[in-house]
């Protein structure tokens, strides 16, 4: 999938003539657009049960250590 052109000739000419406040507004809008895109496309869903199962297969991780690790992970997902 081809990415859309972010800076076409018209926008480039417009940017060249902007003052600091106008340029800041463009950057804020660009950031907000990227932020909303990231939220809409969403971060990958994390299957905590599969994660727990996979972590339990690591040599040296017992049930109590696994419970501690999962508690930390679940706390950070909130």
């Amino acid at each position: 999938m081809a990415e859309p052109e972010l800076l076409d000739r018209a926008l480039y000419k417009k940017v060249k003539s902007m003052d600091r406040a106008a340029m800041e507004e463009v950057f804020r809008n660009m950031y907000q657009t990227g932020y909303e895109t990231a939220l809409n496309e969403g971060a990958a869903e994390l299957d905590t049960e599969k994660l727990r199962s996979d972590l339990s297969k690591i040599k040296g991780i017992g049930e109590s250590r696994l419970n501690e690790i999962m508690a930390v992970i679940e706390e950070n997902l909130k």
Side-chain angles (χ1 to χ4, degrees), residues 1-2 5 7 21-22 29 31 35 47 59 70 72 76:
M1 180 168 112
E5 189 175 80
L7 186 64
N29 289 340
Y31 174 83
Y35 181 79
D47 182 0
K59 184 178 179 181
M70 291 306 295
V72 169
N76 282 284

Side-chain angles (χ1 to χ4, degrees), residues 39-63:
L39 284 178
N40 291 338
E41 291 177 2
E45 292 288 325
L46 181 63
D47 182 0
T48 55
E49 290 305 314
K50 181 173 180 345
L51 179 62
R52 181 181 187 85
S53 172
D54 291 346
L55 288 174
S56 68
K57 294 175 187 173
I58 298 173
K59 184 178 179 181
I61 296 182
E63 189 64 29

